Amino acid sequence: MPQLAFPTQTVTPSQWLSVLENDDIDALCRVNDTSSNQAVMAGKFFTLETDPASREILIHLKHLPMKDQQVLNQVTQCCGDETLALAGFLSRYFSEQNITKLNTVIGSAATAASARLDAFETAVVNYQKALNHLWSLSHNNHIGRGHAARIHKARLEVKKAYQQLQHRFAIELRRYAPEAWRAKNRGDAFSNSERGITLATRNPKSQTKDVRLNLENRLQASQLKVMSRLINHAGNMAIGLDASLRALKVMDIQEDGGDWMRESARQITGFGFGGALGLVIGRATFAAGSSVVAASGLTMAGPVGWIVLGTLLAGSLVAGYYAGSAMDRFGQERADWIMNR
Amino acid sequence: MNSELTETIISIAGIGSFLVMAISWISFARISMTAIEKRMAADGLPRPCSWDGVGARAFWIANAISLPVGSLLNPSWDLSIDSITVRRYATRFDCRLGFVFTISGYGCAAICLIGVALGYAN
């Protein structure tokens, strides 16, 4: 996963990355077209990976105009990893194309056009329309008490439209932050727009530690989606398989002339106990494991976090399986116990 | 204690708690879970559990809303469910039903594990 760093003060790579081996420092410097004793200016990009994709990203960013690079640096200082969420949000809602679309709806009185807007865009359009209405009322040179009342009402409309816009802004912005960050309470900068404004106007010279811009690999994200779909299907298939095997057992006993109704009752009870309690114990294992991981501080993003997640999942699946088997036998015994009374 | 009496107690307790769990599972899934997910979808949030193979998310959601956050069985860092967001969308009825479901589920599991340990599953 490509990683960019922005040093907060002018520093040489050999000082800044002193925790790494000298060979690694030299490799990184080669990728960044610098040397380990040459100072890197504060606010310049420095990539921390040596693969070709990172190099391409670095070259692409270096060709930005100087002013844009400075703005990018300041935004990442304030917002850290949330910068990517903000970028996604802005490119979705305030690209040239989208602004044109919004302006068309604001200008027209037709309601059919506004059916194509989503909730945030509707809030923006309503706010703009309220402002336009207030402007036209204030500039049409009427006077009188009726007119003043109309202007007062228009002001209230503007305030209401702005509140709706703030509410929608917070909701939509949060969609661009990955779920793992939201669960870890890292969306604070965007929990409401006032907080966002406060952070954006914070003193950019504050001495916080280096901010890294993680560029999520889109391929990884889509692989995660495929994996979750596979897990969903595998879960359903496992239940189907269990049920079929039990049905086969009952049918075998029926063919041999045995007491298949008793066996059927046993198997159904076992199915219920095994399935349900296997889930319960699997959940308990996963939750307890997550508590332990959080307490020990292993909650990291990226590949390390995924290894932890994989271990937790595997552990809970194994626990669920063994518990489910034991519960299955227990359930069958209970069915026998009832039938023997 | 008389082993037949023990077996009777474990069996009745196990089957009884299983029935309570089953009924509260179905009612929670049909009443509370669908309501919570509908509310979250109306606010534009994605599903609370992005991975769910076998429909176990009813139990996860019930855990998240009825147990205190940060406890052993409802951690604040959990990659399978966003418990903090889900809690905001749960009414008091949902919390109470979820509590019944959670307690009966874990209680049944505990009783059955005791039964297995005592050798009643062979």
Side-chain angles (χ1 to χ4, degrees), chain A residues 1-291:
Chain A
M1 186 162 64
Q3 277 204 353
L4 290 180
F6 299 77
T8 46
Q9 28 186 330
T10 306
V11 74
T12 62
S14 49
Q15 289 170 337
W16 188 34
L17 302 170
S18 52
V19 293
L20 299 176
E21 300 282 333
N22 281 337
D23 291 337
D24 292 335
I25 299 182
D26 287 335
L28 284 177
C29 288
R30 265 198 301 277
V31 173
N32 283 291
D33 282 331
T34 175
S35 76
S36 53
N37 290 323
Q38 191 181 354
V40 177
M41 301 284 291
K44 297 289 277 181
F45 315 121
F46 193 87
T47 176
L48 296 173
E49 301 284 335
T50 51
D51 58 283
S54 305
R55 184 149 170 75
E56 273 183 39
I57 292 174
L58 180 71
I59 292 175
H60 179 73
L61 286 174
K62 274 195 169 157
H63 280 117
L64 288 176
M66 183 48 77
K67 212 159 137 261
D68 289 354
Q69 289 187 25
Q70 281 171 355
V71 167
L72 183 55
N73 181 33
Q74 283 170 353
V75 170
T76 44
Q77 291 260 17
C78 306
C79 309
D81 279 327
E82 326 294 8
T83 310
L84 290 167
L86 189 56
F89 180 84
L90 289 175
S91 72
R92 159 76 179 86
Y93 284 110
F94 295 111
S95 62
E96 293 276 353
Q97 230 182 5
N98 216 45
I99 288 184
T100 315
K101 176 174 99 173
L102 291 179
N103 282 335
T104 326
V105 178
I106 291 170
S108 74
T111 49
S114 55
R116 277 186 289 129
L117 303 178
D118 68 13
F120 176 69
E121 288 169 334
T122 312
V124 170
V125 162
N126 287 342
Y127 182 52
Q128 181 71 66
K129 279 187 176 166
L131 286 172
N132 289 350
H133 181 59
L134 180 59
W135 187 91
S136 66
L137 277 181
S138 312
H139 286 79
N140 62 9
N141 289 327
H142 290 169
I143 52 171
R145 221 166 38 177
H147 186 67
R150 273 197 292 275
I151 288 189
H152 179 67
K153 193 156 163 264
R155 280 211 195 100
L156 291 178
E157 293 275 338
V158 165
K159 285 197 176 127
K160 210 168 70 161
Y162 185 68
Q163 275 174 354
Q164 182 65 14
L165 178 65
Q166 275 184 317
H167 177 64
R168 277 291 143 196
F169 173 67
I171 290 175
E172 292 297 332
L173 200 51
R174 226 179 282 131
R175 289 169 79 182
Y176 285 85
E179 272 192 44
W181 290 350
R182 269 182 272 142
K184 287 195 287 183
N185 234 355
R186 290 191 59 194
D188 285 326
F190 302 119
S191 56
N192 63 61
S193 53
E194 288 299 336
R195 176 87 179 126
I197 292 170
T198 311
L199 287 177
T201 51
R202 202 171 65 176
N203 179 9
K205 287 199 185 65
S206 63
Q207 292 292 337
T208 51
K209 62 179 173 88
D210 293 345
V211 167
R212 291 163 189 224
L213 195 63
N214 274 343
L215 299 174
E216 292 292 342
N217 190 341
R218 267 180 217 255
L219 184 58
Q220 280 179 338
S222 66
Q223 279 173 346
L224 189 59
K225 258 198 194 154
V226 168
M227 185 165 73
S228 68
R229 251 184 286 150
L230 279 177
I231 289 181
N232 288 347
H233 284 306
N236 292 337
M237 274 176 5
I239 286 191
L241 188 62
D242 191 10
S244 319
L245 289 174
R246 290 177 195 268
L248 280 175
K249 193 163 175 184
V250 172
M251 292 196 299
D252 281 342
I253 291 186
Q254 183 198 22
E255 278 175 14
D256 291 339
D259 190 352
W260 63 271
M261 286 190 272
R262 185 191 184 92
E263 185 63 28
S264 168
R266 282 178 55 112
Q267 291 301 330
I268 291 176
T269 317
F271 184 61
F273 271 78
L277 295 176
L279 284 176
V280 167
I281 292 181
R283 169 62 189 165
T285 314
F286 189 84
S290 297
S291 297

